[in-house]
């Protein structure tokens, strides 16, 4: 027998030569190469679409996909500030220093909207009238106060040879009833629609107290005429016991445009109290009423006395004077 190496493979076959099948990795590699070759040939034979014209409108699907992709990157929009009122737009820093503040919602209807903090009134670029303390008011009320100071009080101060430097604010917004009376109707102060003033201060150091009787009556009457023209309610001395030391101003709305102006401009009190009248001299002639009384007494004395029944006429007994009534205790 021949056991050489050349004849061993033919006599006893082994490995893939014996089964005539290549190994699995080789088979897969060949299949992938063939598949890739087929795909390349197919893609080479299929024509590509022409490019889209630049002037063509965007497709809905493409626009929708672009919007969907842009939505996650969009940031939330910030809350828009409320629109300013006509009063707020007109009340600029050239008229008053009055920054806006948030609306106030208090109990019982207190508060309001379009509120400002009136800090100063501007007379010129270099001159301001400070409001001390700063007043919380509605924009319309703050604008009315600013116009009053600029148009009426500044010229009045000029006639006195000075300028206004400060407003003495006694009270502005306060959530309360009228005159601080319990369960009273809501005050205009509770609506931020009123201002209480004590007076004005001038640049020369002088002051004008609006309720001071020693102040010139002419000046106080000019102030009275100006506030009663501009405001719907003016309360001062003589209106009630609550406004003897300050002036109340507001813009309350009433039927038919009715205004209330109650401010008594009193004359100064005398420096020395008048003396009591002296007693009437005895030699002075009697007054008309005294003469009539004396004549009536004389006529009653001259009248004849009434006769009494009996033998002769007797004088009527004189009436005894009545004793003064006194309280007596009853015997026990």
């Amino acid at each position: 027998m021949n056991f050489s190496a050349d004849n061993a493979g033919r006599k006893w076959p082994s490995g893939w030569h014996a089964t005539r099948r290549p190994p699995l990795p080789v088979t897969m590699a060949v299949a992938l190469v063939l598949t890739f070759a087929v795909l390349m040939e197919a893609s080479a034979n299929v024509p590509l679409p022409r490019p889209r014209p630049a002037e063509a409108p965007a497709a809905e699907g493409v626009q929708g996909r672009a919007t969907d992709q842009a939505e996650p990157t969009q940031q939330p929009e910030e809350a828009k500030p409320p629109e300013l009122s006509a009063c707020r737009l007109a009340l600029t820093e050239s008229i008053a220093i009055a920054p806006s503040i948030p609306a106030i919602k208090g109990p019982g209807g207190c508060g309001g909207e379009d509120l400002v903090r009136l800090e100063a009134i501007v007379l010129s670029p270099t001159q301001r009238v400070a409001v001390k303390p700063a007043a919380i008011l509605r924009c319309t009320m703050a604008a009315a106060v600013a116009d009053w100071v600029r148009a009426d009080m500044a010229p009045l101060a000029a006639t006195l040879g000075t300028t206004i430097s400060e407003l003495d604010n006694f009270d502005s917004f306060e959530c309360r009833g009228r005159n601080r009376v319990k369960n009273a109707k809501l005050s205009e102060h509770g609506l931020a629609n009123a201002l209480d003033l004590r007076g004005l201060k001038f640049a020369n150091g002088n002051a004008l107290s609006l309720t001071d009787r020693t102040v010139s009556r002419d000046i106080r009457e000019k102030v009275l005429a100006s506030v009663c023209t501009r405001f719907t309610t003016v309360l001062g001395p003589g209106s009630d016991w609550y406004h003897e030391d300050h002036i109340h101003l507001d813009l309350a709305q009433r039927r038919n445009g009715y205004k209330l102006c109650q401010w008594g401009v009193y004359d100064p009190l005398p420096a020395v109290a008048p003396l009591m009248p002296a007693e009437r001299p005895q030699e002075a002639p009697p007054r008309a009423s005294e003469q009539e009384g004396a004549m009536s007494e004389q006529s009653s004395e001259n009248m004849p006395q009434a006769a009494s029944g009996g033998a002769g006429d007797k004088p009527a007994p004189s009436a005894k004077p009545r004793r003064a009534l006194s309280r007596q205790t009853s015997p026990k």
Side-chain angles (χ1 to χ4, degrees):
M1 297 182 64
N2 187 4
F3 292 96
S4 62
D6 294 335
N7 298 325
R10 292 193 295 269
K11 292 183 179 181
W12 295 284
S14 64
W16 66 275
H17 296 283
T19 59
R20 304 296 180 180
R21 295 177 182 177
L24 182 61
V26 176
T27 304
M28 293 180 65
V30 173
L32 289 175
V33 171
L34 294 175
T35 304
F36 181 74
V38 172
L39 291 177
M40 290 294 293
E41 185 179 359
S43 61
N45 297 330
V46 177
L48 296 176
R50 291 181 297 175
R52 187 178 183 82
E55 61 275 8
E60 294 182 0
V62 176
Q63 186 177 5
R65 288 195 300 271
T67 305
D68 295 340
Q69 294 177 358
E71 282 181 357
T73 60
Q74 286 183 351
Q75 297 181 356
E77 297 182 358
E78 297 181 357
K80 295 182 179 180
E83 296 184 0
L84 299 179
S85 65
C87 173
R88 178 68 272 184
L89 294 174
L91 191 62
T92 61
E93 291 187 354
S94 62
I95 297 176
I97 307 302
S100 298
I101 62 174
I104 299 176
K105 301 295 183 182
C110 276
E113 298 179 352
D114 197 17
L115 304 180
V116 300
R117 183 174 63 253
L118 182 61
E119 299 175 356
I121 299 165
V122 179
L123 301 182
S124 68
T126 59
Q127 185 181 2
R128 295 180 179 180
V129 179
V131 181
K132 294 186 178 181
I136 304 300
L137 300 169
R138 295 193 179 195
C139 180
T140 51
M141 183 63 187
V145 173
D147 292 342
W148 170 64
V149 172
R150 288 162 55 91
D152 296 345
M153 293 298 98
L156 178 62
T159 62
L160 302 176
T162 184
T163 57
I164 306 175
S165 62
E166 184 179 321
L167 281 184
D168 186 3
N169 171 25
F170 184 52
D171 191 18
S172 57
F173 170 72
E174 184 180 355
C175 189
R176 60 174 175 85
R178 292 181 179 179
N179 301 322
R180 295 185 175 86
V181 177
K182 187 177 180 181
N183 299 327
K185 186 178 179 180
L186 184 64
S187 171
E188 291 297 318
H189 286 282
L191 300 174
N193 198 34
L195 180 67
D196 287 347
L197 291 178
R198 284 177 172 168
L200 314 173
K201 293 183 179 180
F202 301 109
N204 59 6
N206 296 333
L208 171 62
S209 177
L210 298 177
T211 58
D212 187 359
R213 291 188 174 195
T214 62
V215 175
S216 169
R217 183 184 180 93
D218 180 62
I219 294 177
R220 288 181 290 151
E221 287 182 345
K222 288 181 179 178
V223 177
L224 170 64
S226 67
V227 293
C228 289
T229 300
R230 294 183 176 273
F231 300 94
T232 60
T233 306
V234 178
L235 300 176
S239 61
D240 51 40
W241 290 105
Y242 300 98
H243 300 90
E244 294 298 316
D245 58 349
H246 66 275
I247 305 301
H248 170 94
L249 309 174
D250 69 43
L251 290 176
Q253 298 296 321
R254 301 183 181 89
R255 294 180 180 178
N256 303 323
Y258 176 75
K259 290 186 175 183
L260 184 63
C261 183
Q262 296 181 351
W263 176 5
V265 179
Y266 298 134
D267 290 326
L269 295 173
V272 179
L275 299 176
M276 297 296 293
E279 295 182 0
R280 185 177 181 82
Q282 295 182 357
E283 62 273 13
R287 298 187 177 91
S289 58
E290 295 180 355
Q291 290 180 354
E292 293 176 356
M295 293 176 60
S296 61
E297 290 180 359
Q298 291 179 1
S299 61
S300 61
E301 291 178 356
N302 295 331
M303 289 179 62
Q305 297 180 354
S308 59
D313 294 335
K314 294 182 180 180
S318 60
K320 294 182 180 180
R322 300 183 62 180
R323 297 176 58 184
L325 296 178
S326 61
R327 184 176 181 182
Q328 298 179 358
T329 57
S330 58
K332 296 182 180 180

